[in-house]
Amino acid sequence: MHDIRAIRENPETWDAALSRRGKEPMSSSVLALDEERRAAILAAETAQADQKKAAKEVGAAKASGNDAEFERLRALVGEKKAEVSEMQEKAKALDAQLTGLLMGIDNLPLPEVPEGADENDNVEVKRWGEPRALDFTPKEHYDLAGVKPGMDFETAAKLSGARFVVLQGAVARISRALTQFMLDTHIDDHGLTETWTPVLVRPEMMYGTGQLPKFGEDSYETTNGWWLIPTSEVTLTNTVNGETLDEGDLPRRLTAYSQCFRSEAGSAGRDTAGMLRQHQFEKVEMVTICHPDEAIAEHDRMTGCAEAILEKLDLPYRTVVLCTGDMGFGAQKTHDIEVWLPGQNSYREISSVSTCGQFQARRMNARFKPAGGGKLGFVATLNGSGLAVGRCLIAVLENGQQADGSVDLPEALHPYLGGKTRLTAEGTLA
């Protein structure tokens, strides 16, 4: 959410930053509502002062025997009491209206974020590894002979409908090995704290990280008002919801494996084949809560953590900075990491690492006490995939594929597979 004081002080600057996202100027409407709210607060305070003054004078009038003045002042107290109540209710309603308006406005991009309209304007900043030269036509993951026995879309459709999968046997074990490998790497090499969180949350947690109110259709709400998390960014970040931390306790670096749920409401017809885009999927998430001055450096560090997973798996990738028109709602700056998929002959997103600045912290009221004393400040929050497990499974299967439909598996996974190194064309580990 946005700082109303910053909008008051620099409305033109705020509008200019919004325009970089392709948004219309909004400072005038925001400030008009803010001015009306402040006027109602002032009116309530003035009426309350008048009420207190009249209340004091009532006793004096009665004591002096001035019945007319006593009745006038008593009536005035009643009038001012009603006026205070009315103005307080009006201020409360206007405050809720202003908060709702600010909650629906995108975060402002950092100055270094490239301007653009969509993914075609993203800027590549790194490329690692060379796609393997193949002497056969590569297949997509679901068409590989060794994968077919362990990746069942028909049974999943019977159970749940489209965009679900049942994994079994060797493929399920490879997926589990990837999850374990990612967690161990982030914990042992990158210093993240392993965390396990619920997948059902209260709506205020979804508001805290920005999934609500604007993007409710992209997630699933249960009949009792809980929401299924679209990623454990929601739970990990909201661990500091309403908290005041000591600066010395920052940064907090967390990682969690979870099931994730997305309705994919805005992606009808996209990537319907295979496991690339599903309603239920697995992800290892990274979240950092830190001092605002450390957010930019932390963003680069988290990007490196995600890249390290792909490098250890020997999977070619490229990293891009998203342009202003392609960034997510709550992000100030985002790095997308795209892994090479030979079956599609293209790079596809496997991780998105974003710094949100203090945007989410304002929504959550998450603050810190400066070590040297002074005014409380809002923390900065960052999140990123480390990685999307299903997409990583796709990349491992497609990049390791052989002409006969078998798959050579990355060396980093061998210890997690009992020393097995290959998925055979028959669908077993060997």
Side-chain angles (χ1 to χ4, degrees):
M1 197 165 74
H2 297 275
D3 182 358
I4 187 63
R5 286 172 297 181
I7 303 173
R8 288 185 204 132
E9 292 168 4
N10 295 289
E12 296 86 2
T13 301
W14 190 74
D15 279 339
L18 272 184
S19 72
R20 296 188 66 222
R21 275 199 178 251
K23 307 296 181 181
E24 294 296 322
M26 296 192 67
S27 65
S28 59
S29 56
V30 169
L31 293 177
L33 187 57
D34 178 49
E35 184 62 32
E36 189 179 359
R37 177 187 68 93
R38 294 168 76 189
I41 293 172
L42 179 60
E45 291 173 346
T46 301
Q48 195 166 43
D50 291 343
Q51 177 191 346
K52 289 180 179 179
K53 181 182 177 183
K56 288 180 180 179
E57 294 173 350
V58 164
K62 186 172 182 63
S64 67
N66 189 339
D67 293 341
E69 182 64 4
F70 170 74
E71 293 298 334
R72 186 189 72 81
L73 289 170
R74 191 169 67 167
L76 181 61
V77 169
E79 290 172 9
K80 291 302 177 182
K81 184 178 180 180
E83 186 178 343
V84 168
S85 178
E86 180 185 351
M87 287 299 101
Q88 286 178 338
E89 285 300 313
K90 182 178 180 180
K92 184 178 179 181
L94 289 168
D95 187 67
Q97 191 177 342
L98 178 62
T99 298
L101 176 60
L102 291 174
M103 275 198 165
I105 301 173
D106 304 54
N107 200 354
L108 304 182
L110 293 175
E112 65 264 29
V113 173
E115 199 158 334
D118 53 36
E119 61 185 14
N120 296 313
D121 296 317
N122 295 339
V123 177
E124 183 176 319
V125 293
K126 180 179 180 181
R127 191 173 288 228
W128 185 92
E130 287 293 329
R132 184 171 130 238
L134 302 176
D135 57 3
F136 59 90
T137 301
K139 293 182 177 180
E140 295 200 54
H141 56 287
Y142 51 85
D143 277 334
L144 293 170
V147 173
K148 287 181 177 181
M151 192 173 288
D152 188 346
F153 297 100
E154 290 185 4
T155 299
K158 178 180 69 175
L159 295 172
S160 305
R163 294 196 176 186
F164 291 91
V165 67
V166 170
L167 300 182
Q168 55 190 2
V171 175
R173 186 172 180 184
I174 296 168
S175 180
R176 176 164 54 87
L178 279 168
T179 302
Q180 190 67 52
F181 161 70
M182 291 177 195
L183 286 171
D184 286 351
T185 301
H186 290 317
I187 295 161
D188 297 336
D189 296 355
H190 304 151
L192 279 63
T193 299
E194 183 174 7
T195 311
W196 189 92
T197 65
V199 296
L200 285 167
V201 295
R202 297 172 175 175
E204 51 264 39
M205 301 301 111
M206 297 282 278
Y207 277 95
T209 43
Q211 283 75 25
L212 294 177
K214 197 171 184 179
F215 303 103
E217 67 173 9
D218 294 330
S219 296
Y220 292 106
E221 183 182 12
T222 65
T223 54
N224 63 355
W226 285 336
W227 290 77
L228 284 164
I229 60 170
T231 161
S232 55
E233 170 203 347
V234 175
T235 45
L236 292 177
T237 308
N238 275 290
T239 56
V240 296
N241 189 311
E243 301 288 329
T244 299
L245 312 175
D246 290 328
E247 184 179 349
D249 292 334
L250 301 175
R252 288 190 181 182
R253 293 171 174 145
L254 309 174
T255 187
Y257 157 78
S258 74
Q259 296 285 337
C260 306
F261 305 87
R262 291 182 184 167
S263 69
E264 297 289 355
S267 61
R270 294 176 58 195
D271 301 316
T272 55
M275 282 186 62
L276 200 62
R277 192 181 297 273
Q278 298 201 297
H279 293 308
Q280 178 181 346
F281 57 97
E282 299 169 300
K283 198 182 348 166
V284 172
E285 186 75 8
M286 305 179 293
V287 160
T288 293
I289 295 112
C290 67
H291 192 286
D293 293 345
E294 299 172 356
I296 298 301
E298 185 67 18
H299 187 222
D300 291 335
R301 190 200 68 81
M302 289 178 67
T303 302
C305 291
E307 292 171 338
I309 299 293
L310 294 174
E311 291 174 17
K312 287 176 179 290
L313 294 172
D314 198 25
L315 296 173
Y317 68 85
R318 69 175 197 145
T319 302
V320 301
V321 178
L322 298 193
C323 70
T324 54
D326 199 31
M327 279 200 313
F329 171 78
Q332 284 186 321
K333 183 180 181 181
T334 298
H335 291 150
D336 266 13
I337 304 171
E338 301 173 349
V339 69
W340 175 252
L341 297 184
Q344 294 193 7
N345 193 38
S346 65
Y347 288 94
R348 297 300 303 267
E349 179 199 335
I350 195 169
S351 174
S352 191
V353 184
S354 297
T355 175
C356 301
Q358 297 170 304
F359 186 80
Q360 291 178 327
R362 291 185 187 281
R363 300 169 78 97
M364 297 186 300
N365 194 29
R367 302 171 182 258
F368 71 96
K369 298 176 185 176
K375 188 177 179 181
L376 298 181
F378 288 102
V379 298
T381 63
L382 302 94
N383 63 83
S385 309
L387 303 162
V389 178
R391 292 195 175 197
C392 199
L393 175 63
I394 292 170
V396 163
L397 296 172
E398 291 195 11
N399 280 278
Q401 67 179 287
Q402 306 300 309
D404 65 351
S406 63
V407 177
D408 286 348
L409 300 170
E411 186 176 347
L413 292 185
H414 297 174
Y416 295 92
L417 297 169
K420 302 294 196 298
T421 64
R422 295 176 60 250
L423 175 66
T424 69
E426 291 72 39
T428 60
L429 289 172

